[in-house]
Amino acid sequence: MSEYLTRWRERVRRNALLNNAWRVAVFTVGMAVLLAGIAMLVLPGPGWAAIFVGFAILATEFAWARVALLWAKDKAVKAKDKALAPETRRRNQLIAVCGGVVIAAGVIIYLEKYGLNVPWAVG
């Protein structure tokens, strides 16, 4: 299948009108996905995933998008490595344990004061 698509794309590249139409279509679809991803940063949905998919679509035809995608991949790898570093993991585990203790203390204090009865009227 890949060989067929490669030959098809080469045929389109040889025809200037088809090539420009193809690039406009890729740009339109890629930007639509990218903008939807940006909107999903504040709306429900997988914002960052859509942004990366939008850049991946654009990167099939545009060098600037390839550069941006490689830069984003590099930043993501660095963030992952930093998050998995032993000292960062220990700090995150300590924060999680302290947060759990604070939440447990809050639950215990609430149950001591109110019991299992909720303070608002139900039903």
Side-chain angles (χ1 to χ4, degrees), residues 91-116:
R91 183 199 67 208
N92 291 346
Q93 288 172 343
L94 179 63
I95 291 171
V97 167
C98 289
V101 168
V102 168
I103 290 171
V107 168
I108 290 170
I109 291 170
Y110 176 86
L111 290 175
E112 282 291 318
K113 186 168 184 171
Y114 298 107
L116 290 176

Side-chain angles (χ1 to χ4, degrees), residues 72-88:
K73 283 181 182 179
D74 182 52
K75 292 294 181 188
V77 167
K78 286 180 182 176
K80 178 197 67 137
D81 291 342
K82 184 178 178 184
L84 295 178
E87 60 277 357
T88 305

Side-chain angles (χ1 to χ4, degrees), residues 13-92:
R13 275 197 181 102
R14 284 187 292 242
N15 185 325
L17 181 63
L18 286 177
N19 189 45
N20 286 338
W22 176 255
R23 288 174 61 93
V24 166
V26 168
F27 181 80
T28 303
V29 171
M31 286 305 288
V33 173
L34 183 66
L35 292 174
I38 291 171
M40 282 188 268
L41 291 176
V42 293
L43 299 171
W48 286 109
I51 289 171
F52 288 130
V53 168
F55 271 119
I57 292 169
L58 291 167
T60 63
E61 290 297 319
F62 301 103
W64 60 267
R66 265 189 295 279
V67 170
L69 188 60
L70 290 174
W71 178 83
K73 283 181 182 179
D74 182 52
K75 292 294 181 188
V77 167
K78 286 180 182 176
K80 178 197 67 137
D81 291 342
K82 184 178 178 184
L84 295 178
E87 60 277 357
T88 305
R89 282 184 45 223
R90 278 191 292 277
R91 183 199 67 208
N92 291 346

